[in-house]
Amino acid sequence: MSVGAAQEGAQEAEVAPSLNWLAYRVRSDASVALNANAGWAAPENAMTALHYDSPFRLRVQVLASEVTADGHQISLQYRANDDAWKPVGYAHFPYPSLASPLVSIIKTDAYQSGDETTRLLGEATQDWDDGLGLSAEVATPVWRETGNALEWEWPLVVRRFSDGPTFAEDGLSVDLRLVNGLGQPLAGVEPLQLTLSAEPGHLGGTFIETPGRIGPYQTGNGSLYFFMEPTETDNRFMAMISTDYGKSWREVDGENRPDADDLEGVAAARHGDVIHLIHQQSEEVFYHAFDLSAGAAGQWLVNSESIAQPAEPPTQYADLIARQDGSLVALYAGDHKLFMQFRDVHGNWTEPSELDTDMAPDLSGPVMAVGDDGQVTLAYTALDGQGFVRHLRADNTLTDRQQISSDLGTRDIDNGAIAPLVIDPETGDSIIVYRESDGMLYERRLSHDGELSALAKISDMSVVTGAVDSEQVGADLIYHNGVLHLLFIEEASRDIYHTQSTEPGVWQQPMRVVNNIQGGWVRGSVHLNQAGKPVYGFVYDAGSKGGSGFNRYMALPLN
């Protein structure tokens, strides 16, 4: 659903008596000091262009000509595209506690709520007195000052995705006005008009918890698709599309989103133009499918088909691969071990089978990759800090498991220690990159015939794990033309680094590619840019703190 059909016949409220709105100005830099004459987005009393999911501040100047015993109190209302006026409530950003509305007042760290304001707006000849800066406050305190202008300042945000789920188009017009305690608008300047757009590469929304590979996927016409959630408080599937190589994004086929929500253990696999997905709730596993070839935009094909009801695992994890014939292999968490399940080319699922039931300890964190001959490599973690790898042959028999590590860590956030697997198509080797309890990333390789290589450290930089409820190592691995490319989130700075390898166990010095963020998550793929050149295109969380509004796209050239 998109924001903004106008309503006919909207009734205007009676104007508030004795209050006059003299001036306003918007700060696009929400970090400046309360009384700094800086950070402005536009001149005083002027229409203002802003970006979605970017906090801003609104400063207003108000005059009361007389006062009753009850005093005066003002708050904000908004309307989108001339819709009905609605109150502006409080919802913290980026992590709300209850709801994610289109527009809300938020908390600011730039000043303390109740700090006094000095004059920055209006006519210098106007008598004035101190107002206040407000933080996480919907309305001003009651005041009784008359004849003097007061200035108030609020921090706000307009979200690209809000509960509904609702998507806000570029060019959305949002009006803001002041009202008194009875909801009556103030006379004086006209309502403030904001025009909203997304910054290049901005998706907004929130990442799906514990994902495997979920894109971006590219079609023959160059369109990119990525799967995510709209908000932390309305966690539904969304298929995002970019028709300009990652510059702008929007949801596609939102009217047919899958019904099942609570997107935790999510995995995706592509076969032709169909993206197959599974996701694990507490005690149920669902299958979905999305068609990339449906006209110019794509559409949902399968809505929340229940395929299993295992006992609730300690943490929801899942992975999914598609073999060359279109059959699927799913691997997901159980209360103690892992379950494997197959889907044939006709769409029939087998009953799930439990892995390693005769072996200790409990298992978690499954990841998989498939080779050209249909042989699958699966790796997984154990709750005692071990990690294992093995092959699932084309005839669905399993090789013996082999230990890749005994020191992955024993915390819940260590269960997702293994990054997405990659199979080298030239050698048939499976490359396993994982984080040990010292925070460093290591590489091992499993040959097609089951030979396990020695351990190799990738770098001396500690990598984040379990950031903002992601329950996984902050790393992503791809292969292109004989080169492995690795992105990871450094633990101290939370910046994103890139390194690459052209021979087993030898990695270049990591280079920072995204800085000044609080990165929590990254997933990418190889695809083509507008010039037809290969890139490592990826979506990352730039600092949501577990909330929403910080998913962004970036592409690194691949030589």
Side-chain angles (χ1 to χ4, degrees):
M1 178 170 65
S2 295
V3 170
Q7 289 188 354
E8 298 293 333
Q11 297 296 313
E12 285 296 327
E14 182 180 347
V15 174
S18 308
L19 285 173
N20 196 34
W21 185 4
L22 301 180
Y24 63 78
R25 200 169 184 186
V26 174
R27 300 187 198 263
S28 55
D29 184 351
S31 66
V32 300
L34 175 63
N35 292 311
N37 191 10
W40 304 112
E44 192 171 300
N45 300 340
M47 178 174 24
T48 305
L50 294 173
H51 288 130
Y52 291 111
D53 300 315
S54 295
F56 65 96
R57 302 212 310 258
L58 171 63
R59 194 177 184 102
V60 300
Q61 188 183 76
V62 176
L63 174 70
S65 57
E66 58 184 59
V67 66
T68 65
D70 292 334
H72 293 296
Q73 188 176 40
I74 58 171
S75 60
L76 293 167
Q77 289 183 345
Y78 79 95
R79 66 181 177 186
N81 286 348
D82 296 324
D83 204 341
W85 288 100
K86 301 176 183 178
V88 180
Y90 168 70
H92 188 50
F93 180 83
Y95 197 106
S97 56
L98 296 174
S100 300
L102 174 66
V103 182
S104 73
I105 291 163
I106 61 176
K107 182 180 182 297
T108 181
D109 295 324
Y111 56 83
Q112 296 295 315
S113 193
D115 286 353
E116 292 184 347
T117 59
T118 57
R119 183 208 300 265
L120 293 179
L121 307 179
E123 299 294 333
T125 56
Q126 170 64 50
D127 293 335
W128 66 279
D129 201 353
D130 299 327
L132 302 176
L134 305 169
S135 177
E137 298 287 346
V138 170
T140 66
V142 174
W143 87 93
R144 294 177 173 81
E145 183 77 25
T146 60
N148 292 325
L150 306 178
E151 292 188 12
W152 310 91
E153 189 156 337
W154 278 279
L156 299 106
V157 73
V158 181
R159 295 171 174 84
R160 190 80 202 263
F161 288 99
S162 50
D163 289 348
T166 299
F167 171 76
E169 305 277 0
D170 279 355
L172 177 72
S173 176
V174 173
D175 297 331
L176 292 169
R177 71 180 183 183
L178 297 177
V179 296
N180 66 5
L182 298 177
Q184 298 170 320
L186 272 61
V189 296
E190 293 296 314
L192 158 65
Q193 185 178 11
L194 305 175
T195 302
L196 279 300
S197 64
E199 291 188 87
H202 182 77
L203 288 83
T206 189
F207 61 85
I208 296 170
E209 292 181 29
T210 63
R213 296 194 184 278
I214 50 176
Y217 300 101
Q218 190 170 46
T219 58
N221 65 3
S223 293
L224 299 173
Y225 290 84
F226 190 78
F227 295 90
M228 62 180 217
E229 300 176 18
T231 66
E232 178 66 19
T233 48
D234 195 358
N235 52 354
R236 301 277 301 279
F237 263 118
M238 292 196 310
M240 300 290 290
I241 187 174
S242 174
T243 58
D244 53 11
Y245 298 90
K247 181 180 178 181
S248 64
W249 295 81
R250 58 172 295 116
E251 187 185 10
V252 62
D253 201 25
E255 297 83 0
N256 296 304
R257 299 180 195 100
D259 295 327
D261 56 6
D262 189 19
L263 307 182
E264 298 193 8
V266 176
R270 180 175 184 173
H271 184 261
D273 283 327
V274 175
I275 305 298
H276 304 273
L277 303 106
I278 61 170
H279 92 271
Q280 182 176 35
Q281 293 183 349
S282 297
E283 295 181 339
E284 193 162 12
V285 180
F286 294 94
Y287 165 73
H288 321 273
F290 186 86
D291 183 5
L292 302 178
S293 66
Q299 66 181 15
W300 288 100
L301 292 178
V302 179
N303 178 2
S304 310
E305 176 187 340
S306 179
I307 65 171
Q309 295 180 325
E312 182 174 3
T315 306
Q316 287 77 15
Y317 283 102
D319 206 357
L320 183 71
I321 61 95
R323 284 172 161 152
Q324 283 67 20
D325 63 357
S327 62
L328 305 179
V329 182
L331 190 62
Y332 50 85
D335 56 344
H336 294 289
K337 302 293 184 181
L338 299 173
F339 286 95
M340 182 171 285
Q341 200 166 354
F342 301 92
R343 182 180 187 267
D344 65 25
V345 295
H346 305 293
N348 303 306
W349 287 94
T350 64
E351 289 297 315
S353 58
E354 200 168 11
L355 268 63
D356 295 354
T357 55
D358 57 341
M359 301 179 183
D362 288 355
L363 305 175
S364 191
V367 289
M368 293 190 294
V370 62
D372 292 338
D373 62 354
Q375 179 167 276
V376 178
T377 303
L378 49 149
Y380 43 93
T381 62
L383 274 60
D384 64 355
Q386 293 187 84
F388 302 102
V389 66
R390 68 202 306 179
H391 286 315
L392 174 73
R393 298 188 181 99
D395 63 0
N396 289 343
T397 59
L398 284 164
T399 63
D400 292 338
R401 72 181 191 183
Q402 300 184 63
Q403 185 191 74
I404 57 172
S405 176
S406 61
D407 192 23
L408 300 180
T410 57
R411 302 168 299 171
D412 286 346
I413 61 173
D414 297 321
N415 292 338
I418 306 174
L421 296 184
V422 162
I423 294 180
D424 184 331
E426 298 178 7
T427 66
D429 289 350
S430 300
I431 296 93
I432 311 143
V433 170
Y434 56 91
R435 180 188 187 274
E436 290 202 333
S437 62
D438 61 2
M440 311 302 174
L441 292 180
Y442 295 87
E443 173 203 340
R444 296 191 80 168
R445 296 183 178 223
L446 183 69
S447 74
H448 184 275
D449 296 328
E451 295 294 323
L452 188 61
S453 73
L455 181 72
K457 180 187 280 190
I458 292 175
S459 83
D460 290 321
M461 301 179 72
S462 184
V463 175
V464 74
T465 190
V468 294
D469 298 327
S470 65
E471 304 294 350
Q472 62 178 296
V473 60
D476 188 64
L477 181 68
I478 63 164
Y479 171 93
H480 176 68
N481 278 359
V483 183
L484 289 171
H485 293 268
L486 175 69
L487 292 170
F488 65 84
I489 303 168
E490 195 262 331
E491 188 167 32
S493 66
R494 300 282 288 277
D495 293 343
I496 298 178
Y497 285 77
H498 169 259
T499 183
Q500 62 187 55
S501 170
T502 57
E503 58 181 292
V506 180
W507 292 83
Q508 291 185 358
Q509 179 68 26
M511 301 293 292
R512 189 183 347 237
V513 294
V514 186
N515 61 4
N516 297 322
I517 62 170
Q518 283 291 303
W521 171 92
V522 59
R523 280 292 180 269
S525 66
V526 179
H527 46 263
L528 302 179
N529 63 14
Q530 191 166 4
K533 302 296 185 181
V535 295
Y536 186 177
F538 59 96
V539 177
Y540 63 97
D541 169 31
S544 70
K545 302 179 182 178
S548 57
F550 279 77
N551 278 352
R552 298 174 185 170
Y553 172 85
M554 182 176 177
L556 299 177
L558 296 174
N559 297 322

